[in-house]
């Protein structure tokens, strides 16, 4: 945050263009509320001291850091991956006997990642209650308290917002992209990250499996009811299954967003988070439809990266947001994007970078978050991108010739 202040100067309270520091991966699922609150207060203290606003990203989906707490008291009040009513399955239970097959999450983020021993069941009321309580106690109460102080001091701009999701989805280990990634790994997938899971192998029995059954079960569904509803609606059983998964995701994010609003955080500073892939591909449970991110208590947020794996169509994304909320005036958040990913620099031209930043805000973006940008060095943020940010902050559209190609 000090580096941002030195590079871009002080933030003006009256400006409609600001830069903020993003704190990623607040671990509400895998740490005690005391640990999370300490991290949040540290970020708020730094914002107050440096004058640089802070944007908070919450891990409400993956449980990053599961089983790697340093002390027992750092663990959460319940470990969802060990709780039979909070974790996902790959099939419905047999009668009253809950499933004991517990799939891990597997994410191909360059290296293979498997952050927790189970996938969270977003449709489980028990999980939703736990996650909301952790969010409230660990994050929202200290934020709300500090906001009241900042509002009295005329410094409420120091809170840039909060992202209450993180690419929320239901894994489908039979998705063609997943199967291709498994094939490229020679059929043997091992986790590289986190360190606590390094070397863990993906269970081959789960290849080809769809998750989401626990969420549907805890919302009153079983195979018989699922098939009957699909028949009555004239759709396939699998399409109905997907629809119910989408509703679970939507309702989970809406509940989390409402918790923010209940603490006095306005919807323009609360962001959901899914990938925007459904704007260019057919929706699935791993790339849910745009409407799942839309609710009255938040601003829909998306990962948007046309140079990487999170492809999107900006106009189509806006159209689908408008269709979901019924408003002509659409706002959204680019809550995950990049200057550099996998060793590949995205921008070597200031004009191009500035043009893309401006296009997002012209389309209705309230925030654009760039992951992995620190320290402020050429291998993290190329100089043309830094110059583009300075140009955007100043509102100066003129770009000197010596700034166009990395000067």
């Amino acid at each position: 945050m000090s580096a941002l202040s030195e590079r871009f100067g002080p933030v003006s309270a009256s400006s409609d263009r600001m830069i903020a520091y993003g704190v990623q991966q607040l671990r509400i699922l895998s740490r005690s509320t005391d640990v999370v609150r300490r991290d949040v207060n540290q970020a708020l203290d730094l914002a107050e001291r440096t004058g640089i606003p802070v944007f908070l990203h919450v891990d409400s989906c993956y449980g990053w850091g599961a089983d790697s707490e340093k002390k027992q008291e750092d663990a959460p009040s319940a470990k969802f991956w060990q709780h039979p009513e909070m974790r996902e399955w790959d099939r419905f239970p047999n009668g009253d006997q809950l499933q004991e097959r517990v799939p891990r999450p597997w994410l191909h983020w360059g290296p293979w990642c498997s952050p927790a021993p189970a996938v969270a069941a977003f449709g489980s009321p028990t999980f939703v209650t736990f996650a909301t309580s952790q969010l409230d106690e660990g994050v929202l109460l200290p934020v709300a308290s500090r906001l009241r102080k900042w509002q009295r001091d005329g410094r409420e701009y120091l809170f840039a917002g909060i992202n209450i999701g993180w690419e929320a989805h239901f894994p489908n280990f039979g998705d063609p992209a997943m199967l291709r990634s498994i094939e490229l790994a020679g059929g043997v997938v091992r986790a590289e990250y986190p360190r606590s899971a390094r070397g863990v192998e993906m269970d081959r029995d789960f290849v080809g499996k769809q998750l989401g059954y626990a969420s549907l079960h805890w919302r009153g569904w079983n195979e018989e009811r699922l098939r009957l509803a699909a028949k009555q609606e004239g759709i396939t059983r699998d399409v109905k299954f997907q629809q119910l998964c989408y509703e679970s995701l939507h309702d989970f994010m809406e509940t989390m967003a409402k918790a923010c609003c209940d603490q006095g955080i306005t919807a323009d500073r609360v962001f959901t988070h899914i990938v925007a892939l459904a704007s260019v591909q057919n929706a699935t449970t791993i790339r849910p439809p745009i409407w799942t991110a839309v609710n009255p208590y938040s601003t829909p947020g998306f990962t948007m990266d046309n140079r990487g794996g999170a492809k999107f169509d900006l106009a189509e994304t806006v159209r689908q947001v408008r269709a979901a909320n019924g408003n002509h005036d659409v706002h959204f958040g680019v809550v995950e994007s990049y200057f550099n990913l996998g060793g590949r620099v995205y921008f070597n031209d200031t004009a191009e970078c500035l043009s893309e930043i401006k296009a997002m805000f012209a389309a209705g973006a309230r925030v654009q978050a760039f992951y992995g940008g620190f320290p402020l060095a050429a291998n993290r943020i190329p100089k043309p991108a830094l110059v583009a940010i300075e140009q955007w902050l100043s509102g100066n559209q003129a770009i000197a010739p010596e700034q166009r190609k990395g000067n």
Side-chain angles (χ1 to χ4, degrees):
M1 295 173 83
S2 296
L4 284 176
S5 181
E6 291 171 10
R7 172 78 200 202
F8 298 104
V11 171
S12 170
S14 61
S15 177
D16 62 354
R17 298 185 180 194
M18 299 184 184
I19 194 164
Y21 179 82
V23 178
Q24 187 189 1
Q25 210 182 89
L26 290 169
R27 301 180 178 189
I28 66 168
L29 300 184
S30 63
R31 293 293 182 269
S32 70
T33 54
D34 286 343
V35 169
V36 177
R37 191 182 306 113
R38 181 189 65 209
D39 292 343
V40 170
N41 278 324
Q42 180 188 47
L44 298 175
D45 289 345
L46 284 168
E48 197 167 88
R49 191 176 78 221
T50 63
I52 296 294
V54 64
F55 186 80
L56 303 177
H57 300 250
V58 173
D59 176 9
S60 61
C61 302
Y62 297 121
W64 200 268
D67 277 337
S68 65
E69 67 272 5
K70 295 180 180 178
K71 298 176 292 185
Q72 186 175 354
E73 57 266 31
D74 291 347
S77 59
K79 295 186 175 183
F80 79 86
W81 54 94
Q82 296 177 354
H83 199 294
E85 293 187 18
M86 294 193 200
R87 58 196 187 190
E88 266 305 338
W89 315 318
D90 66 334
R91 63 187 71 176
F92 283 119
N94 184 13
D96 295 331
Q97 183 64 41
L98 299 184
Q99 285 293 337
E100 295 183 357
R101 282 172 58 93
V102 183
R104 296 183 67 100
W106 288 92
L107 311 153
H108 191 226
W109 288 342
W112 282 97
C113 303
S114 185
V119 175
F122 301 117
S124 161
T126 303
F127 174 76
V128 174
T129 298
F130 163 72
T132 305
S133 175
Q134 291 284 111
L135 175 69
D136 200 49
E137 294 291 328
V139 182
L140 301 183
L141 288 177
V143 168
S145 175
R146 195 68 62 98
L147 259 180
R148 288 191 292 270
K149 176 180 182 297
W150 287 346
Q151 286 165 350
R152 290 193 300 269
D153 298 340
R155 304 186 78 192
E156 62 268 29
Y157 68 91
L158 289 176
F159 181 62
I162 180 171
N163 172 6
I164 51 87
W166 190 1
E167 296 185 343
H169 69 282
F170 285 105
N172 178 359
F173 299 141
D175 181 84
M178 170 65 83
L179 293 176
R180 284 194 298 272
S181 296
I182 294 172
E183 183 179 351
L184 288 172
V188 179
V189 172
R190 292 186 179 89
E192 289 293 323
Y193 295 99
R195 287 190 296 270
S196 60
R198 185 166 293 162
V200 172
E201 286 191 15
M202 182 179 184
D203 191 330
R204 292 288 299 175
D205 288 344
F206 291 118
V207 175
K209 301 298 184 182
Q210 168 75 63
L211 273 60
Y213 287 87
S215 289
L216 270 60
H217 169 79
W218 298 117
R219 289 165 70 97
W221 290 88
N222 55 33
E223 189 65 34
E224 181 181 4
R225 184 186 173 197
L226 177 65
R227 291 184 179 278
L228 179 60
K231 183 178 180 180
Q232 291 173 340
E233 296 175 26
I235 57 178
T236 68
R237 176 259 185 214
D238 289 350
V239 167
K240 184 61 181 177
F241 181 92
Q242 289 179 327
Q243 289 179 354
L244 295 170
C245 286
Y246 301 154
E247 291 171 10
S248 295
L249 285 173
H250 173 274
D251 293 352
F252 171 68
M253 288 190 285
E254 181 174 285
T255 299
M256 299 288 277
K258 184 177 184 301
C260 297
C261 288
D262 288 345
Q263 291 294 345
I265 304 174
T266 54
D268 62 320
R269 299 192 189 189
V270 180
F271 296 85
T272 52
H273 187 181
I274 63 172
V275 292
L277 275 163
S279 66
V280 293
Q281 299 181 33
N282 292 331
T284 69
T285 63
I286 66 170
R287 46 179 184 273
I290 299 299
W291 64 262
T292 60
V294 179
N295 63 68
Y297 308 104
S298 69
T299 301
F302 309 99
T303 298
M304 306 176 84
D305 178 20
N306 272 335
R307 290 177 173 80
K311 300 292 192 296
F312 68 95
D313 182 299
L314 182 57
E316 178 62 16
T317 301
V318 170
R319 187 195 70 78
Q320 291 188 33
V321 171
R322 181 176 291 117
N325 67 15
N327 294 330
H328 180 71
D329 188 20
V330 169
H331 290 287
F332 62 97
V334 186
V335 294
E336 183 172 344
S337 59
Y338 298 89
F339 289 126
N340 175 6
L341 189 62
R344 179 186 175 197
V345 174
Y346 282 9
F347 294 104
N348 291 306
D349 184 276
T350 292
E352 180 185 12
C353 184
L354 179 60
S355 176
E356 293 194 18
I357 291 173
K358 286 167 56 182
M360 289 297 185
F361 286 103
R366 291 192 182 277
V367 65
Q368 184 167 1
F370 293 95
Y371 274 29
F374 291 90
L376 295 179
N379 64 333
R380 307 290 285 182
I381 306 182
K383 190 173 181 180
L386 292 172
V387 174
I389 293 172
E390 289 170 335
Q391 295 281 350
W392 178 79
L393 284 170
S394 69
N396 179 8
Q397 319 227 348
I399 301 173
E402 66 271 15
Q403 295 174 339
R404 290 185 179 274
K405 289 290 183 182
N407 297 312

